[in-house]
Amino acid sequence: MKPLVVDKDRLQCEIDEFALITEAAPPVVTRVLFSEADLRGRNYVKERCTDAGLTLRTDAVGNMFARWHGTSRQLPAIATGSHIDAIPNAGKYDGVVGVLGAIEAIRTLQTAGFQPRRSIELIIFTSEEPTRFGIGCLGSRLLGGVLSLERAAALRDRYGKDLEFWRKQGGCPGPLDSVKLAKDSYAAFVELHIEQGPVLEAEKLDIGVVEKIAAPSTLRIQLTGVGGHAGATLMPGRRDALLAGAEITLAVEQAATTTGSPDTVGTTGILRIEPGAVNSVPYKAYLEIDLRDTSVKTRDAALHQIEAAIIEICTRRKIEFTMERLNVDPPAICDAKLVETVAGIASGLDFSVKKMISRAYHDSLFMAQVCPTTMIFIPCFKGYSHRPDEFSSPEQIEKGVRVLAETFAQLAK
Ligand SMILES: [Zn+2]
């Protein structure tokens, strides 16, 4: 095989072109699952895959698979992939680097005359972002068997349209129960992604190899107290929903800071009250809490502590409440051997490399249920992500693609 040369200019051209496929005015990127922009984006990727001689298939939830057939077709393939959907007001690198970058890695190998023994397969996951249905990683959850078919069928978007409607819209064939992957479907899964955090840039490093992926759990809480005139309702006997909510936010902080693990993080990202008038006692509060950790043990301990606090606070304050676990996902420990392999490849190329934790979650979290998994991170400007000024340089991307291509070469030969 000739030395691998990534065509970084061609890739950058494609990333720039792809960023113009958006529901918002460029440079803002918005591509919500099965929107017109998402469908155009899917076609763009399909064309590039076909040009590279890859065989395409789409599953029942719209995950797309593009396979470069190896000489030993019976062997489990090496898989890679990411997503092309983007939240409202996003940038052009999140997910896209792992999709267009993987196509470039495959073309790089083809140009060098590499012939894989194992097949190499690119997966473009459906709805990594939660915009449409309020749940992230829809495609990879179903691939990993982490989401029940009943829950998937019950998903609705804000207009009340269900997954069945959108599946038809997206032209996804077959029944949903055909999506789940068998355990031996792939020999390995490696996702290329921008870091979405500041570590690599701050430490002037080229490559991060992910050892653990923190898993989120999300709680939704509705509190109902008793409203009233802010002047006429005297303090004794008030049942103020906001005050209960405020105590709950502090209980979240308390739980997240006392697990003994530095990786536990708890956030009350949503707190809405009704009626929301300056002279009225809040009678309703609505909270959503995000709790993450790399260890399921400490994460679940904190989760139970928060739930117990909610019950205690609401009972003491005579507030009616409902609490719902929207998701409780398993954190992933990446395959140690695969992590060593990828880190070794990166240092062999003279790239500076660090093993690290992914604190954002990714489709890899659920692919880890199927096969040995890790991720390749590249630095991004100030760690910015999910905003239009998200940026990684062509050179930074080139290094990530190079490591991915070399990983394919090593694992598929
Ligand atoms: Zn992403």
Side-chain angles (χ1 to χ4, degrees):
M1 182 175 76
K2 289 186 278 183
L4 300 184
V5 183
V6 174
D7 190 338
K8 68 173 193 308
D9 299 329
R10 169 173 59 185
L11 177 54
Q12 188 59 50
C13 245
E14 289 178 345
I15 292 172
D16 292 341
E17 224 169 58
F18 198 71
L20 300 175
I21 304 175
T22 166
E23 297 159 47
V28 173
V29 178
T30 301
R31 264 191 307 269
V32 179
L33 174 68
F34 295 144
S35 64
E36 187 267 341
D38 183 47
L39 296 179
R40 270 198 295 145
R42 286 165 176 264
N43 282 335
Y44 182 97
V45 172
K46 279 186 195 166
E47 275 172 29
R48 294 300 168 294
C49 290
T50 308
D51 288 348
L54 310 182
T55 306
L56 283 160
R57 150 177 106 82
T58 303
D59 74 9
V61 75
N63 293 311
M64 301 196 300
F65 303 80
R67 179 169 288 227
W68 183 14
H69 283 291
T71 49
S72 299
R73 294 193 178 202
Q74 74 287 359
L75 289 177
I78 305 300
T80 185
S82 203
H83 60 99
I84 57 166
D85 65 326
I87 64 163
N89 203 40
K92 60 183 181 182
Y93 298 92
D94 174 14
V96 172
V97 164
V99 173
L100 297 181
I103 298 173
E104 183 57 37
I106 289 170
R107 290 186 302 219
T108 300
L109 288 165
Q110 291 172 337
T111 307
F114 177 75
Q115 177 56 59
R117 190 164 70 92
R118 286 181 189 275
S119 299
I120 295 173
E121 184 146 282
L122 164 62
I123 309 175
I124 298 102
F125 295 99
T126 276
S127 197
E128 195 267 349
E129 304 292 3
T131 318
R132 168 80 62 205
F133 290 116
I135 181 171
C137 296
L138 176 60
S140 53
R141 274 175 205 275
L142 286 168
L143 289 173
V146 174
L147 180 69
S148 72
L149 297 176
E150 295 71 43
R151 274 203 67 196
L155 292 173
R156 297 274 186 287
D157 70 6
R158 59 198 291 194
Y159 310 106
K161 297 213 156 61
D162 63 3
L163 178 56
E164 205 47 39
F165 171 88
W166 283 111
R167 263 174 14 96
K168 289 214 178 80
Q169 207 74 4
C172 310
L176 266 192
D177 63 5
S178 63
V179 173
K180 188 175 175 216
L181 290 171
K183 275 277 177 205
D184 56 356
S185 302
Y186 298 108
F189 178 80
V190 182
E191 177 173 5
L192 172 64
H193 208 282
I194 60 168
E195 185 200 336
Q196 300 181 291
V199 175
L200 292 174
E201 186 188 63
E203 298 182 16
K204 297 194 167 47
L205 298 168
D206 300 318
I207 298 290
V209 183
V210 173
E211 286 185 299
K212 295 175 189 173
I213 305 170
S217 50
T218 313
L219 284 180
R220 175 189 283 167
I221 294 137
Q222 303 209 50
L223 307 174
T224 309
V226 177
H229 191 285
T233 316
L234 297 179
M235 297 309 284
R238 273 201 193 188
R239 291 162 63 191
D240 183 324
L242 171 59
L243 292 180
E247 270 200 67
I248 290 168
T249 64
L250 294 175
V252 171
E253 184 191 35
Q254 170 74 12
T257 48
T258 52
T259 60
S261 159
D263 294 335
T264 321
V265 282
T267 308
T268 306
I270 293 178
L271 172 54
R272 283 198 297 266
I273 55 169
E274 284 176 42
V278 69
N279 57 356
S280 185
V281 178
Y283 68 93
K284 262 194 194 308
Y286 175 91
L287 293 83
E288 284 189 24
I289 295 164
D290 178 300
L291 180 72
R292 299 179 189 219
D293 206 327
T294 53
S295 144
V296 78
K297 205 164 143 250
T298 45
R299 199 271 316 271
D300 286 355
L303 185 60
H304 290 134
Q305 195 181 324
I306 292 167
E307 288 172 338
I310 292 168
I311 295 169
E312 188 278 318
I313 291 162
C314 292
T315 310
R316 174 164 42 79
R317 288 183 169 273
K318 300 192 173 62
I319 298 290
E320 286 171 34
F321 68 97
T322 61
M323 96 183 142
E324 185 189 352
R325 292 180 172 188
L326 292 185
N327 61 285
V328 181
D329 293 319
I333 306 293
C334 294
D335 184 75
K337 210 174 130 213
L338 188 59
V339 169
E340 284 313 319
T341 302
V342 176
I345 286 168
S347 21
L349 292 166
D350 276 337
F351 298 157
S352 49
V353 51
K354 180 190 179 91
K355 292 178 198 160
M356 56 196 301
I357 292 170
S358 171
R359 296 183 190 279
Y361 73 105
H362 298 281
D363 294 305
S364 289
L365 185 60
F366 303 101
M367 287 306 287
Q369 303 289 324
V370 178
C371 64
T373 293
T374 189
M375 299 183 72
I376 300 167
F377 274 176
I378 58 166
C380 58
F381 175 63
K382 289 189 180 173
Y384 290 170
S385 186
H386 285 185
R387 43 191 279 181
D389 53 356
E390 183 180 81
F391 176 76
S392 292
S393 73
E395 292 71 28
Q396 288 168 325
I397 297 171
E398 178 188 21
K399 286 177 181 162
V401 171
R402 182 77 194 281
V403 174
L404 185 64
E406 302 275 356
T407 302
F408 291 157
Q410 186 153 329
L411 298 178
K413 74 174 177 229

mmCIF file of all heavy atoms in Angstrom, residues 352-372:
data_model
loop_
_atom_site.group_PDB
_atom_site.id
_atom_site.type_symbol
_atom_site.label_atom_id
_atom_site.label_comp_id
_atom_site.label_asym_id
_atom_site.label_seq_id
_atom_site.Cartn_x
_atom_site.Cartn_y
_atom_site.Cartn_z
ATOM 1 N N SER A 352 0.304 14.341 18.644
ATOM 2 C CA SER A 352 0.194 14.316 20.102
ATOM 3 C C SER A 352 -1.206 13.810 20.456
ATOM 4 O O SER A 352 -2.198 14.199 19.841
ATOM 5 C CB SER A 352 0.436 15.707 20.672
ATOM 6 O OG SER A 352 -0.337 16.658 19.984
ATOM 7 N N VAL A 353 -1.260 12.920 21.435
ATOM 8 C CA VAL A 353 -2.528 12.232 21.686
ATOM 9 C C VAL A 353 -2.795 12.107 23.178
ATOM 10 O O VAL A 353 -1.864 12.023 23.993
ATOM 11 C CB VAL A 353 -2.519 10.848 20.981
ATOM 12 C CG1 VAL A 353 -1.282 10.061 21.311
ATOM 13 C CG2 VAL A 353 -3.740 10.024 21.320
ATOM 14 N N LYS A 354 -4.054 12.170 23.531
ATOM 15 C CA LYS A 354 -4.457 12.058 24.942
ATOM 16 C C LYS A 354 -5.669 11.132 25.022
ATOM 17 O O LYS A 354 -6.583 11.222 24.206
ATOM 18 C CB LYS A 354 -4.858 13.453 25.438
ATOM 19 C CG LYS A 354 -5.311 13.515 26.878
ATOM 20 C CD LYS A 354 -5.914 14.911 27.157
ATOM 21 C CE LYS A 354 -6.413 15.023 28.579
ATOM 22 N NZ LYS A 354 -5.404 15.530 29.509
ATOM 23 N N LYS A 355 -5.659 10.251 26.001
ATOM 24 C CA LYS A 355 -6.857 9.454 26.253
ATOM 25 C C LYS A 355 -7.792 10.290 27.111
ATOM 26 O O LYS A 355 -7.351 10.957 28.041
ATOM 27 C CB LYS A 355 -6.481 8.159 26.968
ATOM 28 C CG LYS A 355 -5.682 7.232 26.082
ATOM 29 C CD LYS A 355 -5.293 5.980 26.827
ATOM 30 C CE LYS A 355 -4.161 5.283 26.105
ATOM 31 N NZ LYS A 355 -3.442 4.371 26.989
ATOM 32 N N MET A 356 -9.048 10.288 26.785
ATOM 33 C CA MET A 356 -9.937 11.205 27.496
ATOM 34 C C MET A 356 -11.363 10.661 27.643
ATOM 35 O O MET A 356 -11.719 9.622 27.097
ATOM 36 C CB MET A 356 -9.931 12.569 26.815
ATOM 37 C CG MET A 356 -10.301 12.558 25.355
ATOM 38 S SD MET A 356 -9.830 14.110 24.535
ATOM 39 C CE MET A 356 -10.746 15.300 25.494
ATOM 40 N N ILE A 357 -12.152 11.433 28.378
ATOM 41 C CA ILE A 357 -13.553 11.075 28.605
ATOM 42 C C ILE A 357 -14.416 11.937 27.703
ATOM 43 O O ILE A 357 -14.155 13.122 27.545
ATOM 44 C CB ILE A 357 -13.922 11.352 30.080
ATOM 45 C CG1 ILE A 357 -13.172 10.382 30.997
ATOM 46 C CG2 ILE A 357 -15.419 11.259 30.299
ATOM 47 C CD1 ILE A 357 -13.296 10.742 32.465
ATOM 48 N N SER A 358 -15.418 11.356 27.087
ATOM 49 C CA SER A 358 -16.403 12.156 26.371
ATOM 50 C C SER A 358 -17.520 12.505 27.335
ATOM 51 O O SER A 358 -18.192 11.628 27.859
ATOM 52 C CB SER A 358 -16.970 11.389 25.187
ATOM 53 O OG SER A 358 -18.067 12.127 24.668
ATOM 54 N N ARG A 359 -17.675 13.791 27.570
ATOM 55 C CA ARG A 359 -18.712 14.195 28.517
ATOM 56 C C ARG A 359 -20.015 14.519 27.796
ATOM 57 O O ARG A 359 -21.067 14.640 28.415
ATOM 58 C CB ARG A 359 -18.225 15.379 29.357
ATOM 59 C CG ARG A 359 -17.031 14.957 30.201
ATOM 60 C CD ARG A 359 -16.513 16.035 31.109
ATOM 61 N NE ARG A 359 -15.241 15.608 31.674
ATOM 62 C CZ ARG A 359 -15.131 14.794 32.718
ATOM 63 N NH1 ARG A 359 -16.198 14.348 33.332
ATOM 64 N NH2 ARG A 359 -13.939 14.439 33.147
ATOM 65 N N ALA A 360 -19.911 14.709 26.493
ATOM 66 C CA ALA A 360 -21.134 14.778 25.698
ATOM 67 C C ALA A 360 -21.434 13.337 25.289
ATOM 68 O O ALA A 360 -20.549 12.498 25.291
ATOM 69 C CB ALA A 360 -20.914 15.628 24.468
ATOM 70 N N TYR A 361 -22.681 13.030 24.959
ATOM 71 C CA TYR A 361 -22.916 11.663 24.524
ATOM 72 C C TYR A 361 -23.089 11.606 23.013
ATOM 73 O O TYR A 361 -23.351 12.600 22.366
ATOM 74 C CB TYR A 361 -24.041 10.983 25.291
ATOM 75 C CG TYR A 361 -25.445 11.431 24.981
ATOM 76 C CD1 TYR A 361 -26.287 10.634 24.214
ATOM 77 C CD2 TYR A 361 -25.944 12.616 25.485
ATOM 78 C CE1 TYR A 361 -27.585 11.020 23.946
ATOM 79 C CE2 TYR A 361 -27.238 13.007 25.218
ATOM 80 C CZ TYR A 361 -28.051 12.220 24.449
ATOM 81 O OH TYR A 361 -29.332 12.588 24.182
ATOM 82 N N HIS A 362 -22.862 10.445 22.506
ATOM 83 C CA HIS A 362 -22.759 10.243 21.066
ATOM 84 C C HIS A 362 -23.388 8.909 20.707
ATOM 85 O O HIS A 362 -23.643 8.083 21.574
ATOM 86 C CB HIS A 362 -21.275 10.215 20.656
ATOM 87 C CG HIS A 362 -20.556 11.484 20.940
ATOM 88 N ND1 HIS A 362 -20.662 12.589 20.130
ATOM 89 C CD2 HIS A 362 -19.732 11.844 21.950
ATOM 90 C CE1 HIS A 362 -19.924 13.565 20.634
ATOM 91 N NE2 HIS A 362 -19.348 13.148 21.740
ATOM 92 N N ASP A 363 -23.557 8.688 19.396
ATOM 93 C CA ASP A 363 -24.062 7.396 18.939
ATOM 94 C C ASP A 363 -23.154 6.261 19.423
ATOM 95 O O ASP A 363 -23.615 5.134 19.627
ATOM 96 C CB ASP A 363 -24.175 7.390 17.416
ATOM 97 C CG ASP A 363 -25.242 8.365 16.940
ATOM 98 O OD1 ASP A 363 -26.393 8.251 17.392
ATOM 99 O OD2 ASP A 363 -24.929 9.264 16.135
ATOM 100 N N SER A 364 -21.865 6.556 19.618
ATOM 101 C CA SER A 364 -20.918 5.552 20.118
ATOM 102 C C SER A 364 -21.365 4.934 21.438
ATOM 103 O O SER A 364 -21.082 3.771 21.722
ATOM 104 C CB SER A 364 -19.539 6.187 20.331
ATOM 105 O OG SER A 364 -18.953 6.473 19.087
ATOM 106 N N LEU A 365 -22.062 5.744 22.262
ATOM 107 C CA LEU A 365 -22.543 5.254 23.557
ATOM 108 C C LEU A 365 -23.387 3.999 23.356
ATOM 109 O O LEU A 365 -23.308 3.038 24.137
ATOM 110 C CB LEU A 365 -23.372 6.359 24.218
ATOM 111 C CG LEU A 365 -23.889 6.152 25.632
ATOM 112 C CD1 LEU A 365 -22.759 5.939 26.614
ATOM 113 C CD2 LEU A 365 -24.703 7.363 26.065
ATOM 114 N N PHE A 366 -24.185 4.002 22.291
ATOM 115 C CA PHE A 366 -25.093 2.879 22.060
ATOM 116 C C PHE A 366 -24.461 1.801 21.175
ATOM 117 O O PHE A 366 -24.797 0.630 21.300
ATOM 118 C CB PHE A 366 -26.415 3.411 21.489
ATOM 119 C CG PHE A 366 -27.023 4.422 22.419
ATOM 120 C CD1 PHE A 366 -26.913 5.784 22.168
ATOM 121 C CD2 PHE A 366 -27.618 4.011 23.601
ATOM 122 C CE1 PHE A 366 -27.419 6.717 23.065
ATOM 123 C CE2 PHE A 366 -28.125 4.928 24.504
ATOM 124 C CZ PHE A 366 -28.029 6.288 24.235
ATOM 125 N N MET A 367 -23.518 2.203 20.319
ATOM 126 C CA MET A 367 -22.792 1.192 19.535
ATOM 127 C C MET A 367 -21.933 0.336 20.462
ATOM 128 O O MET A 367 -21.620 -0.812 20.154
ATOM 129 C CB MET A 367 -21.936 1.868 18.458
ATOM 130 C CG MET A 367 -22.732 2.431 17.292
ATOM 131 S SD MET A 367 -23.823 1.225 16.508
ATOM 132 C CE MET A 367 -22.633 0.208 15.629
ATOM 133 N N ALA A 368 -21.552 0.909 21.616
ATOM 134 C CA ALA A 368 -20.757 0.142 22.591
ATOM 135 C C ALA A 368 -21.539 -1.061 23.118
ATOM 136 O O ALA A 368 -20.954 -1.988 23.684
ATOM 137 C CB ALA A 368 -20.323 1.046 23.739
ATOM 138 N N GLN A 369 -22.856 -1.057 22.941
ATOM 139 C CA GLN A 369 -23.679 -2.216 23.329
ATOM 140 C C GLN A 369 -23.527 -3.362 22.325
ATOM 141 O O GLN A 369 -23.930 -4.493 22.591
ATOM 142 C CB GLN A 369 -25.166 -1.831 23.385
ATOM 143 C CG GLN A 369 -25.505 -0.690 24.320
ATOM 144 C CD GLN A 369 -25.381 -1.083 25.768
ATOM 145 O OE1 GLN A 369 -25.688 -2.205 26.140
ATOM 146 N NE2 GLN A 369 -24.884 -0.167 26.591
ATOM 147 N N VAL A 370 -23.019 -3.026 21.119
ATOM 148 C CA VAL A 370 -22.998 -3.991 20.016
ATOM 149 C C VAL A 370 -21.605 -4.576 19.792
ATOM 150 O O VAL A 370 -21.453 -5.759 19.514
ATOM 151 C CB VAL A 370 -23.488 -3.311 18.711
ATOM 152 C CG1 VAL A 370 -23.439 -4.276 17.545
ATOM 153 C CG2 VAL A 370 -24.890 -2.746 18.882
ATOM 154 N N CYS A 371 -20.579 -3.724 19.917
ATOM 155 C CA CYS A 371 -19.217 -4.176 19.581
ATOM 156 C C CYS A 371 -18.185 -3.285 20.269
ATOM 157 O O CYS A 371 -18.535 -2.235 20.794
ATOM 158 C CB CYS A 371 -19.026 -4.143 18.059
ATOM 159 S SG CYS A 371 -19.137 -2.495 17.366
ATOM 160 N N PRO A 372 -16.900 -3.711 20.261
ATOM 161 C CA PRO A 372 -15.843 -2.851 20.822
ATOM 162 C C PRO A 372 -15.881 -1.480 20.146
ATOM 163 O O PRO A 372 -15.959 -1.396 18.927
ATOM 164 C CB PRO A 372 -14.555 -3.595 20.469
ATOM 165 C CG PRO A 372 -14.971 -5.015 20.271
ATOM 166 C CD PRO A 372 -16.367 -4.968 19.714
#
